[in-house]
Amino acid sequence: MPRIRIPIYQPDLSGNEREYVLECLDSSWISSKGHFIQEFEAGFARFTGMPHAISVCNGTVALHLALLALGIGPGDEVIVPSLTYIASVNAIRYVGATPVFCDSLPNTWQMDPADVEQRITPRTRAIMAVHLYGGACEMSRLAALCARYGLKLVEDCAEAIGTRLNGRHVGTFGDVATFSFFGNKTITTGEGGMVVCNDSALDSMLRRLRGQGLAANREYWHDIIGYNYRMTNICAAIGFAQLERIDTILKRKTRLATSYRRAMTGTPMVFQHASPGESSSHWMITMLAPNASSRDLIRERLANAGIETRPTFPLVHHMPMYQDISLQLPIAEDISRRGMNLPSWHALGDEAVEEIATIVKAST
Ligand SMILES: *Cc1c(COP(=O)(O)O)cnc(C)c1O
């Protein structure tokens, strides 16, 4: 394999990240206490428009805490798309609940609300809406299902920092929502995550679960089983600096998404469509090839030119831990076989987009 010249993602740490991290080191506030934690949480709450934001050490544990705080456990079913990153599904298993996989929509690639409704049983407790690749699920339809059937609504917004529906940030439509700040997410803290909610009792429960189940007003007394899922002040310092520049990052990504679409005109490649009212954050700019073998050929040619791409997610219900050979999810399967994520970091230049388009044109 030739050296990677154009990676799929690259964080931009060119703002106040260094200064804030050095402040942590100089002041010795390097662990999970320190003012950047509160500032990052408050800034993120402001950015999303949710009153409560609880920082955690990654996006996977954010999902674990969200499900625990809602009281979801053994015997409960949670409906989740099979076309997602593994963390969405693993978190359901961590609390002892059962993931029930649903199909996706052909144009937006988000979970299909009509298929979700078909899969509701007396044991269903929650729907986990995963906003894929910077797009948004159809939240009004999913929220209506939750209201009608008395279900909790969890939003996995790991891939949707900055994504809005009719002006409202995703993560504000359900009971609780989670975010990830892994190195390839729209803003990063290295490893990190956030849980947001609009209920103060849920906020206290999430904070207690994050901090070893510590009881209020009594030292070293723990009255529930909790976890150490805290974020460090160093990570929060990086996140706070990233948040200062998020609008610029999102603006440049919108421009990049437009450049890719323009450059691929005349090819058979198909890009992700927006849900009604959606303003995408374009986390991973993604397109479908006409068929699986053409997707694989294009990826191989790009790799030979030192350009990194990724396949759309393999379906979770095909993986050994969750395998269900009787389950047919034809739309999700088609997207999974034909799709590829393109280099999507915000500072990627137009020359790179042109080069990628030239290789795609020669391969289709
Ligand atoms: C990135 C991601 C997560 C969480 O990932 P971490 O690496 O644990 O921060 C969860 N769900 C989805 C859909 C993701 O893409």
Side-chain angles (χ1 to χ4, degrees):
M1 219 31 133
R3 190 177 63 85
I4 293 174
R5 271 188 312 118
I6 303 177
I8 188 120
Y9 225 90
Q10 201 157 277
D12 177 324
L13 305 171
S14 63
N16 288 323
E17 287 83 356
R18 173 183 294 266
E19 184 190 327
Y20 295 166
V21 168
L22 286 176
E23 189 200 310
C24 296
L25 296 176
D26 292 339
S27 65
S28 85
W29 288 95
I30 57 171
S31 197
S32 53
K33 284 183 181 163
H35 68 91
F36 285 116
I37 307 264
Q38 287 76 31
E39 280 170 332
F40 185 38
E41 289 181 347
F44 201 78
R46 223 176 303 120
F47 178 73
T48 54
M50 274 301 242
H52 305 284
I54 301 98
S55 60
V56 291
C57 53
N58 63 61
T60 305
V61 305
L63 284 164
H64 186 196
L65 287 191
L67 294 171
L68 283 170
L70 291 176
I72 291 163
D76 296 334
E77 294 177 355
V78 179
I79 302 176
V80 63
S82 186
L83 182 70
T84 183
Y85 181 57
I86 190 69
S88 319
V89 182
N90 279 344
I92 297 169
R93 196 49 86 66
Y94 295 164
V95 300
T98 304
V100 172
F101 297 106
C102 69
D103 208 350
S104 308
L105 290 165
N107 297 323
T108 65
W109 315 340
Q110 309 295 350
M111 71 196 301
D112 177 352
D115 190 59
V116 169
E117 186 167 18
Q118 298 291 311
R119 296 178 194 280
I120 294 172
T121 75
R123 287 181 300 282
T124 308
R125 280 288 308 285
I127 295 173
M128 185 185 289
V130 183
H131 304 291
L132 210 61
Y133 300 135
C137 298
E138 292 188 26
M139 293 314 293
S140 53
R141 292 176 69 191
L142 294 175
L145 286 179
C146 288
R148 188 173 323 138
Y149 294 93
L151 309 176
K152 299 290 185 191
L153 181 51
V154 180
E155 293 180 73
D156 180 349
C157 307
E159 306 185 357
I161 302 169
T163 303
R164 288 169 188 276
L165 271 172
N166 300 311
R168 211 168 125 186
H169 202 289
V170 296
T172 63
F173 295 88
D175 296 282
V176 54
T178 67
F179 292 84
S180 163
F181 308 118
F182 183 65
N184 68 12
K185 295 288 163 55
T186 303
I187 60 168
T188 186
T189 61
E191 293 275 4
M194 195 76 80
V195 188
V196 302
C197 64
N198 56 17
D199 179 283
S200 49
L202 207 53
D203 172 87
S204 328
M205 180 53 91
L206 287 159
R207 289 179 192 279
R208 285 180 67 204
L209 288 166
R210 175 183 71 176
Q212 301 284 25
L214 187 66
N217 311 319
R218 189 167 169 192
E219 286 173 294
Y220 287 95
W221 185 260
H222 307 265
D223 55 2
I224 54 170
I225 291 181
Y227 303 81
N228 176 1
Y229 282 173
R230 296 179 294 257
M231 176 179 273
T232 67
N233 198 42
I234 297 176
C235 289
I238 297 171
F240 188 58
Q242 293 265 290
L243 206 49
E244 292 174 338
R245 290 202 320 292
I246 192 165
D247 293 331
T248 315
I249 292 172
L250 289 168
K251 222 172 274 164
R252 291 219 201 139
K253 291 197 61 152
T254 300
R255 208 169 64 195
L256 181 63
T258 309
S259 299
Y260 267 122
R261 281 166 168 77
R262 196 178 298 135
M264 298 294 169
T265 313
T267 72
M269 307 306 284
V270 177
F271 286 89
Q272 184 176 26
H273 288 216
S275 290
E278 173 192 302
S279 157
S280 175
S281 61
H282 304 288
W283 172 57
M284 280 283 174
I285 299 162
T286 305
M287 57 185 192
L288 306 186
N291 54 57
S293 56
S294 123
R295 188 271 304 264
D296 296 342
L297 175 72
I298 293 167
R299 292 197 61 224
E300 186 188 318
R301 296 240 176 116
L302 289 168
N304 289 337
I307 299 163
E308 186 184 22
T309 62
R310 292 205 187 144
T312 37
F313 294 120
L315 300 187
V316 176
H317 82 280
H318 290 171
M319 297 179 191
M321 314 79 82
Y322 300 105
Q323 192 162 40
D324 181 350
I325 47 169
S326 66
L327 181 62
Q328 299 291 319
L329 302 174
I331 307 291
E333 178 136 357
D334 183 55
I335 297 162
S336 172
R337 286 158 50 87
R338 289 201 285 135
M340 55 190 288
N341 306 132
L342 296 162
S344 297
W345 35 287
H346 75 283
L348 189 75
D350 279 343
E351 336 69 64
V353 173
E354 286 307 325
E355 185 185 349
I356 292 165
T358 304
I359 293 170
V360 170
K361 283 171 185 161
S363 316
T364 50

